[in-house]
């Protein structure tokens, strides 16, 4: 991790990233010992996973029910469940603990804010990446529905949090959640910058809303944006869908989605005071399921993006290596996951759980060469890892000026026959059972309901997937060495 400056996490990735950054445990212990595919018998795979991966075996459905029956508010159910299942084993589950980037920052914050002198703060551990960004979304105000034309990204970090730009460099509008009969909201200003995370969620400042180094705010009336809340928000996949439904006139998003007061940071084009609004928050995957765009916003020039998808790569009868006109590259639909295709301007329509119309950051003509690499690696039975040098397109929706060149290592989760062949006979036999066996769809497990629980995997499933991820990195060690070389 010495060569990594930024860790950009989305959805379930925030579960692992938060523990990696904050857990008081050496990285080597978090990750566990190296694995050897030939030693991964079914008995070996039944052993307790490494601490970083073990939480993936903890059931969430039962915890949700227990918390609901114990009186936890419905808009805090998922956040509280994630805190209990993922963070509590590491002592990171305090919903009221503030975040800060360092011990020095904690001292500064407490010195300037006497009401926080006795408050608990969590800070990332040393020797971890310098910056952590956990991506969520600002869906819509309570009682209104998220759409492709108003949903905004929410970056949550130990130091600063918020939406660092105005979506499409303009104001947005909201329509009422169907069945709630509210008037529309027009010309609402969202984003424009970041606020220190300890102050996120309060009322707008009486002056200085355009920003500065010493803006006075009323102490937040709501609980802080703790690590536990940030991780829960980042993985609230239901956020966008809940904002679009109501039951007996009651908007589902206002009851189920995590909530926060948010006010914009103003500038000359949008002067005056803009009130804080209570917004529904949701999963970063409702907008970008890769974390790549947040890294581009932060100015990263060397990026490894992990496409951890339930859609394996499938070349089929399409020759992605064949020369084609730049104006008519082959359509990747059905061959590659949507979260990758949309980055190149393909398949960007909205779905039930997200909005991807504005996610093109690379030219369409740049995708076939990447998929050509994948196809060659697949024929060679290797994991799919390819490094490409790409020019970023201008994208006003995401606040990207474009024109800069970046090196990106795309790590795409898809099976490797060489890895499978290296496994012991009993494990290979179980793999070949397909949907009738324990490793159905390996390595492309379902995000939910792979088994009877909402999210939990078995020890064997977790350990085999972790071993395959390690194998993929080791098989392409030279790619990562080149990417992160000083």
């Amino acid at each position: 991790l010495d060569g990594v400056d930024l860790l950009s996490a989305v959805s379930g990735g925030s579960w692992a990233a938060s523990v990696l950054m904050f857990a008081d445990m050496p990285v080597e212990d978090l990750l566990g010992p190296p694995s050897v595919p030939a030693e991964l018998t079914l008995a070996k795979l039944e052993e307790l996973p490494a601490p970083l991966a073990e939480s993936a075996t903890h059931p969430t459905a039962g915890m949700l029910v227990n918390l609901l029956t114990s009186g936890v508010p419905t808009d805090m159910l998922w956040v509280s469940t994630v805190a209990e299942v993922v963070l509590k084993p590491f002592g990171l589950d305090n919903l009221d603990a503030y975040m800060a980037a360092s011990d020095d920052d904690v001292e500064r914050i407490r010195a300037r804010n006497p009401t926080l002198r006795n408050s608990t703060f969590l800070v990332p551990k040393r020797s971890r990446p310098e910056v952590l960004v956990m991506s969520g979304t600002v869906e819509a105000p309570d009682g209104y529905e998220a759409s492709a034309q108003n949903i905004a990204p929410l970056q949550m970090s130990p130091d600063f949090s918020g939406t660092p730009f105005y979506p499409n460099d303009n104001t947005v509008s909201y329509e009422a959640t169907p069945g709630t009969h509210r008037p529309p909201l027009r010309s609402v200003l969202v984003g424009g910058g970041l606020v220190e995370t300890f102050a996120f969620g309060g009322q707008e400042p009486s002056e200085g809303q355009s920003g500065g180094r010493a803006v006075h705010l009323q102490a937040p009336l709501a609980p802080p944006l703790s690590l536990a809340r940030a991780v829960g928000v980042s993985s609230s996949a239901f956020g966008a869908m809940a904002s679009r439904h109501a039951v007996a006139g009651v908007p589902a998003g206002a009851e189920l989605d995590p909530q926060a007061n948010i006010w914009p940071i103003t500038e000359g084009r949008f002067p005056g005071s803009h009130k804080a609004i209570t917004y529904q928050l949701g999963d970063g995957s409702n907008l970008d399921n890769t974390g790549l765009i947040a890294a581009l916003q932060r100015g990263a020039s060397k990026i490894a993006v992990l496409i951890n998808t339930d859609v394996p790569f499938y070349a089929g009868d399409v020759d992605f290596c064949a020369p084609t006109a730049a104006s008519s590259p082959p359509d990747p639909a059905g061959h590659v996951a949507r979260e990758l295709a949309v980055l190149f301007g393909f398949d960007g329509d909205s779905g039930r759980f997200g909005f991807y119309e504005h996610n093109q950051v690379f030219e369409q003509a740049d995708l076939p060469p990447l998929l050509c690499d994948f196809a060659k690696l697949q024929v060679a039975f290797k994991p799919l890892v390819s490094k490409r040098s790409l020019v970023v397109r201008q994208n006003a929706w995401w606040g990207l000026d474009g024109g800069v060149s970046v090196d990106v290592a795309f790590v795409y989760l898809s099976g490797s026959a060489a890895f499978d062949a290296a496994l012991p006979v009993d494990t290979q036999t179980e793999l070949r059972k397909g949907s009738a066996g324990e490793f159905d769809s390996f390595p492309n497990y379902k995000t939910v309901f792979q088994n009877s629980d909402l999210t939990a995997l078995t020890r064997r499933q977790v350990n085999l997937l972790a071993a395959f991820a390690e194998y993929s990195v080791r098989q392409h060690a030279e790619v990562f060495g080149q990417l992160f070389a000083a």
Side-chain angles (χ1 to χ4, degrees):
L1 295 176
D2 290 344
V4 179
D5 299 316
L6 166 70
L7 187 58
S8 177
V10 180
S11 197
S14 294
W15 292 15
S18 59
V19 172
L20 179 67
M21 292 291 289
F22 284 85
D24 189 14
M25 185 182 295
V27 172
E28 295 78 10
D29 293 344
L30 282 170
L31 297 178
S35 62
V36 178
E39 298 175 357
L40 299 178
T41 63
L42 291 178
K44 180 69 173 177
L45 292 172
E46 188 61 36
E47 294 179 0
L48 191 68
L52 188 63
E54 185 189 356
S55 62
T57 68
H58 298 167
T60 52
M63 182 61 69
L64 272 168
V65 173
N66 290 340
L67 292 172
L68 178 62
T69 56
S70 68
V72 172
T74 52
D75 65 322
M76 285 296 295
L77 268 180
W78 181 248
V79 170
S80 300
T81 296
V82 173
E84 289 286 328
V85 170
V86 178
L87 300 176
K88 190 172 184 177
F90 302 94
L92 302 173
D93 57 311
N94 188 342
L95 291 168
D96 296 317
Y98 292 85
M99 284 193 289
S102 68
D103 291 332
D104 288 342
D105 283 331
V106 173
E107 287 188 22
R108 173 183 58 80
I109 291 168
R110 284 175 170 161
R112 301 191 67 179
N113 300 273
T115 59
L116 300 181
R117 281 177 182 164
N118 297 320
S119 298
T120 300
F121 279 81
L122 295 178
V123 300
K125 299 304 176 185
R126 297 182 183 273
S127 75
R128 312 291 158 92
E130 183 177 350
V131 178
L132 168 66
V133 175
M134 296 169 282
S135 287
T137 47
V138 180
E139 303 284 358
D142 276 355
Y144 293 84
E145 62 176 329
S147 75
Q149 306 310 319
N150 60 35
I151 189 171
L154 173 63
Q155 294 189 8
M156 298 170 287
S157 298
D159 50 0
F160 290 90
S161 295
T163 299
F165 59 93
Y166 306 126
N168 207 30
D169 199 29
N170 211 328
T171 59
V172 299
S173 297
Y174 301 97
E175 299 295 331
T177 299
T180 61
H181 309 295
R182 287 174 166 83
L185 297 178
R186 303 298 187 207
S187 301
V188 179
L189 191 64
V190 180
L194 306 176
V195 64
E196 280 198 271
T197 299
F198 81 89
F200 183 88
Q203 297 301 309
E204 73 283 353
S206 58
E207 58 183 25
Q209 195 165 350
S210 59
R213 295 184 61 85
V215 176
H216 291 274
L217 300 174
Q218 180 179 332
L221 300 178
L225 180 58
S226 61
L227 177 67
R229 290 175 188 274
V231 176
V233 167
S234 183
S235 57
S236 295
F238 51 85
M241 184 171 65
S243 78
R244 290 180 278 173
H245 292 83
V247 178
V250 178
E255 298 296 320
L256 299 176
D257 288 345
Q259 310 278 304
N261 289 334
I262 300 178
W263 46 270
I265 295 176
T266 60
E267 63 168 41
R269 290 179 301 148
F270 307 108
S273 176
H274 293 255
K275 295 291 186 181
I277 297 175
T278 301
Y279 280 89
Q280 307 159 70
L281 306 181
D283 195 316
S285 69
N286 291 170
L287 207 50
D288 171 35
N289 201 24
T290 68
L292 173 70
I293 301 181
L296 293 176
Q297 289 176 320
R298 295 291 181 118
S301 59
K302 296 182 178 181
I303 305 169
V305 57
L306 311 181
I307 312 295
N308 295 321
T309 174
D310 59 1
V311 180
F313 173 71
Y314 173 69
D317 57 1
V318 177
D319 183 2
F320 290 105
C321 300
T324 59
S327 59
S328 58
D331 188 346
H335 301 278
V336 71
R338 186 179 179 204
E339 54 257 47
L340 176 60
V342 296
L343 299 174
F344 295 84
F346 293 95
D347 194 26
D349 59 308
S350 296
R352 287 186 304 159
F353 293 99
F355 307 95
Y356 310 106
E357 282 93 328
H358 307 292
N359 284 16
Q360 184 176 5
V361 292
F362 304 124
E363 298 294 341
Q364 284 194 339
D366 290 330
L367 182 58
L370 172 62
L371 301 188
C372 173
D373 288 349
F374 285 173
K376 291 177 179 178
L377 289 166
Q378 194 169 66
V379 170
F381 309 127
K382 295 181 179 180
L384 307 187
V385 178
S386 174
K387 183 170 76 73
R388 312 294 302 178
S389 292
L390 304 170
V391 176
V392 179
R393 282 172 52 101
Q394 190 272 341
N395 186 317
W397 190 267
W398 285 91
L400 297 174
D401 292 332
V404 298
S405 180
V406 295
D407 293 330
V408 184
F410 292 90
V411 184
Y412 192 95
L413 184 63
S414 198
S416 163
F419 175 80
D420 296 351
L423 297 170
V425 172
D426 63 339
T427 303
Q428 289 191 46
T429 300
E430 188 67 22
L431 267 175
R432 284 195 291 268
K433 291 180 182 178
S435 60
E438 186 171 0
F439 302 113
D440 180 25
S441 302
F442 175 84
N444 303 96
Y445 299 140
K446 298 174 184 176
T447 305
V448 294
F449 295 116
Q450 172 72 22
N451 303 304
S452 58
D453 183 70
L454 179 63
T455 61
L457 301 176
T458 67
R459 289 184 178 184
R460 289 176 177 176
Q461 290 168 342
V462 168
N463 282 327
L464 191 61
L465 183 58
F468 179 65
E470 178 188 346
Y471 176 85
S472 299
V473 172
R474 292 186 183 279
Q475 289 293 303
H476 294 280
E478 75 285 351
V479 172
F480 297 99
Q482 293 168 8
L483 186 68
F484 295 121

